[in-house]
Amino acid sequence: MAIRNIVHEGDDILRKRAKEVPEINARIIMLLEDMADTLKEQEGVGLAANQVGVLKRIFIADVGDGVIELINPEIIEVRGKQEEEEGCLSVPGIIGMVERPEYVKISALNRSGKSVIYEGTELLARVFCHEHDHLEGMLFIDKAKDLRSASDEEEEDL
Ligand code: CO
């Protein structure tokens, strides 16, 4: 287990489409463990693998109920709309309003290779979309309006 360095905006890896994970092996499990340690240390709510320099379709989320791990995630249903301020561990000090669906249903593999489905509303729905965007090479600043500098208390890091 280890804390990994967070890649910041300007690094190409954040602008590439992450690759499918063909096999869940010991390296992938170690990556998941390290990502959880890193997310906790950063006090974030979501982290995609390319944010720690690994171009694979993996992200984790923790909105307060423990870490959820998603491998090869696919958004299968969205409903409604919400607009809230977002930040990103890869774009420190900046926040902006982003429109997201109110409800998101997502399928993925868990670390055992089993198919899982999660449903999220409010913050979890936003995290699912924000992290999925990372895997497509997209950042919240591409979609946000009213980008501005954030105070430490305001920052909510996805
Ligand atoms: Co982010």
Side-chain angles (χ1 to χ4, degrees), residues 70-156:
L70 296 98
I71 300 166
N72 297 337
E74 275 181 64
I75 291 175
I76 51 180
E77 196 183 331
V78 297
R79 279 203 296 266
K81 251 188 235 178
Q82 59 170 320
E83 200 177 53
E84 292 290 341
E85 273 184 325
E86 283 181 24
C88 179
L89 293 170
S90 294
V91 192
I94 304 285
I95 57 174
M97 293 295 283
V98 185
E99 188 180 296
R100 301 286 189 189
E102 170 55 30
Y103 165 91
V104 176
K105 189 175 187 178
I106 193 163
S107 70
L109 298 177
N110 66 15
R111 62 163 67 194
S112 311
K114 293 228 158 60
S115 290
V116 287
I117 288 180
Y118 292 106
E119 292 175 293
T121 59
E122 300 174 342
L123 178 58
L124 186 57
R126 294 218 316 276
V127 176
F128 284 157
C129 293
H130 179 115
E131 304 313 325
H132 190 268
D133 278 355
H134 273 300
L135 303 184
E136 297 298 314
M138 232 180 298
L139 295 172
F140 85 99
I141 49 174
D142 306 341
K143 301 182 165 180
K145 47 184 193 190
D146 309 324
L147 282 172
R148 63 184 175 91
S149 325
S151 66
D152 283 355
E153 310 83 69
E154 280 179 324
E155 228 170 322
E156 180 171 65

